[in-house]
Amino acid sequence: MSNHIDFYFDIISPYAYIAYKKILKINNVNFKLKPILLGGLHNLAGITAPAFNKYKMKNMQNDCELVSKKNNISFRWNSRFPINSLSIMRGYLYVKDDKKKEYLNSFFEAYWKEDQDLSKEKNIKILLEKLKINENDFFNSISNQDIKDKLKHLTQEAFEKEVFGAPTFIVNNKIFWGQDRLEYALDEVKNI
């Protein structure tokens, strides 16, 4: 039996942002954050992302705005969606544990609240400076094979557990997909 919730996420997912903002309000549950590369996961699963279907994209944008408003989460659709989140997700693995929460919140908000273009290295550097993370160490480390392999491994692990999107919550080998399934994952962990 599991006494925690695995949270699979990628900064590129607006729903992962919404879920993360909900998680920040929960104090009595242990969440294990599992960064993945959503594009890589979609490739493994043979899935075409909603971002590449104009009808799904329009609905997703409207839905995220509705859900955010309902949950009092500041949200603004990023005008440069989607971007390649590889550097950011590797960066999450690089930063020290005591910085991970602040790092993730800063990057999520920059992308999904402030409409920043995080495909530009200069914008990443500005965030790193605010976080007091050495940019040279950061960019050298995300090119390190260990960091690359770790993100690949986590993405492969997610695929092997039949995760196909972000956010996904797993409790007791049960999959709860989508920000709207967080409550069900919480119920599962509370029933242990």
Side-chain angles (χ1 to χ4, degrees):
M1 292 296 224
S2 175
N3 65 351
H4 67 273
I5 298 175
D6 288 336
F7 172 54
Y8 289 89
F9 69 94
D10 187 329
I11 197 93
I12 196 65
S13 166
Y15 291 111
Y17 165 71
I18 293 167
Y20 184 68
K21 287 300 190 178
K22 289 179 175 183
I23 286 170
L24 290 177
K25 298 174 186 175
I26 300 167
N27 296 317
N28 57 347
V29 176
N30 180 22
F31 286 89
K32 288 192 177 180
L33 276 61
K34 304 271 193 168
I36 58 169
L37 187 64
L38 189 55
L41 181 65
H42 285 163
N43 287 341
L44 288 168
I47 295 171
T48 301
F52 302 107
N53 178 304
K54 69 178 183 177
Y55 302 109
K56 287 182 180 180
M57 176 81 146
K58 182 178 178 185
N59 181 70
M60 185 168 61
Q61 184 174 353
N62 291 336
D63 188 54
C64 287
E65 289 168 1
L66 280 171
V67 172
S68 295
K69 186 175 181 182
K70 179 83 171 167
N71 288 279
N72 296 315
I73 296 169
S74 295
F75 178 87
R76 189 162 132 206
W77 189 263
N78 194 286
S79 56
R80 292 150 197 96
F81 177 77
I83 61 164
N84 183 333
S85 60
L86 184 63
S87 294
I88 298 166
M89 298 312 293
R90 285 181 184 167
Y92 177 80
L93 293 171
Y94 158 71
V95 298
K96 304 257 185 277
D97 287 347
D98 63 343
K99 281 271 193 202
K100 285 190 183 305
K101 184 176 179 180
E102 188 181 8
Y103 175 92
L104 189 55
N105 200 53
S106 294
F107 278 86
F108 262 141
E109 287 194 353
Y111 196 70
W112 291 115
K113 181 179 171 184
E114 299 162 8
D115 191 27
Q116 290 186 30
D117 184 357
L118 296 183
S119 67
K120 302 243 185 277
E121 193 173 289
K122 68 177 184 173
N123 292 334
I124 292 175
K125 287 179 178 180
I126 290 168
L127 289 174
L128 293 174
E129 186 177 347
K130 287 180 185 175
L131 292 165
K132 296 180 175 44
I133 295 171
N134 182 287
E135 69 181 56
N136 292 325
D137 292 345
F138 178 89
F139 286 106
N140 286 334
S141 293
I142 65 172
S143 298
N144 180 295
Q145 195 61 47
D146 288 343
I147 294 285
K148 290 179 180 181
D149 290 345
K150 192 168 184 181
L151 186 59
K152 282 181 189 175
H153 171 76
L154 285 163
T155 303
Q156 181 68 36
E157 171 192 291
F159 174 69
E160 289 170 6
K161 290 184 177 185
E162 299 183 358
V163 172
F164 56 88
T168 295
F169 309 96
I170 296 183
V171 184
N172 295 328
N173 296 317
K174 293 181 183 176
I175 294 175
F176 301 91
W177 173 61
Q179 63 79 27
D180 56 339
R181 294 300 184 256
L182 174 57
E183 288 75 18
Y184 296 93
L186 290 168
D187 287 345
E188 180 70 22
V189 85
K190 287 175 185 170
N191 288 330
I192 297 170

